[in-house]
Amino acid sequence: MRNLNEDTITQAVIASLNGCRDERLHTVITSLVQHLHSFARETKLTEAEWQAAIAFLTATGHITDDKRQEFILLSDVLGLSTLVTAQNHAKPAGCTEATVFGPFYVTGSPEYRSFDDISNGARGEPCFVRGQVRALDGKAITNALLEVWQADEDGHYDVQLPPGDNGAVEHRARGKLRTDADGRFAFRSILAEPYPIPHDGPVGALLSALGRHPWRPAHLHFMIQARGYETLITHVFRDGDRYLDSDAVFGVRSTLVAQWVRHRPGTAPDGSRVDVPYYTLDYDFVLNPQGSAA
């Protein structure tokens, strides 16, 4: 392995992997080395550019913590998240499509009952969400677990806000609930609004350099789990949003776009009196059975 040059270095690195006992790891790293080396050759990568890339990745790591995942943002804006999702979640026609997970999911969100208000004080106009979870054959899926999260009207998720007096994040516009015997669910939250992804870090600087905006169209996040079915991670997007065709993270699917209907003040779907205009969203989800081929 002495006297390597630009023509022999790639095969030398690949040969060094022969001791790897993990077949999948060997396959992935071999391909990664080949593509990285081909990229460097194709672009005639300079040392200054290589050093700038190292600095960019270092800055991405430094800004990443338990509240902000800059590497997921980077994957999202480069379309890699959507590519991996599409490759791994092909579904039969009629199933609800999956889309990107995003960087703001957290475990331990509070549990709610039907028609509870999951906004918990988050800023935004009232919105009532209803729907059904069912199988491809139309059968209602009982006791499915839905996890829901969204940004407030200022474009902030709860984990982006300062912690409470006890030092913990107060969960807002985020929660868990289960479907009833008819597979139905309902909750109160706030109107989904468009917002920019965090762009005060290296990913934002990259977008600016590329002449791209950081905005996402208004949406709700859902993760739905039920025994015997594939877990669904998806969004529901608000119809008419100006960013539907230029989502910064390439997550929009036409089948996931729905109407938020505006209502005058009056009696809401949960029977309560609402003294301001409010919105309703009705959207059903169809899950794919485990082991089902697309």
Side-chain angles (χ1 to χ4, degrees), residues 146-279:
L146 286 80
E147 293 195 59
V148 186
W149 63 104
Q150 70 173 105
D152 63 20
E153 69 178 9
D154 299 316
H156 297 129
Y157 287 82
D158 50 8
V159 293
Q160 295 177 282
L161 300 174
D165 295 337
N166 61 358
V169 171
E170 184 175 8
H171 291 306
R172 295 179 176 177
R174 181 189 302 273
K176 300 176 184 175
L177 62 156
R178 290 188 179 272
T179 58
D180 64 16
D182 296 318
R184 299 194 178 280
F185 64 90
F187 60 91
R188 176 174 174 166
S189 189
I190 55 175
L191 178 66
E193 298 280 10
Y195 65 87
I197 62 172
H199 56 287
D200 57 341
V203 170
L206 176 63
L207 288 177
S208 179
L210 295 173
R212 289 176 52 189
H213 70 70
W215 285 85
R216 298 218 63 202
H219 61 274
L220 291 180
H221 292 264
F222 286 87
M223 180 163 71
I224 305 176
Q225 302 175 74
R227 186 185 298 273
Y229 296 89
E230 294 178 356
T231 295
L232 173 66
I233 296 171
T234 194
H235 302 2
V236 180
F237 295 91
R238 186 175 163 194
D239 194 18
D241 192 286
R242 63 181 294 190
Y243 297 109
L244 285 173
D245 294 312
S246 63
D247 181 10
V249 308
F250 308 101
V252 178
R253 303 289 176 271
S254 295
T255 59
L256 302 178
V257 177
Q259 261 197 331
W260 268 250
V261 180
R262 190 175 189 270
H263 302 267
R264 294 178 179 179
T267 303
D270 64 352
S272 65
R273 172 73 188 183
V274 181
D275 296 326
V276 296
Y278 67 91
Y279 290 79

Side-chain angles (χ1 to χ4, degrees), residues 112-152:
Y112 292 95
R113 294 178 298 180
S114 185
F115 280 114
D116 278 352
D117 185 355
I118 75 168
S119 66
N120 193 29
R123 289 167 52 85
E125 297 180 79
C127 180
F128 295 83
V129 182
R130 301 169 296 191
Q132 183 185 42
V133 179
R134 59 179 184 267
L136 268 172
D137 61 4
K139 177 183 176 182
I141 300 178
T142 302
N143 204 39
L145 176 64
L146 286 80
E147 293 195 59
V148 186
W149 63 104
Q150 70 173 105
D152 63 20

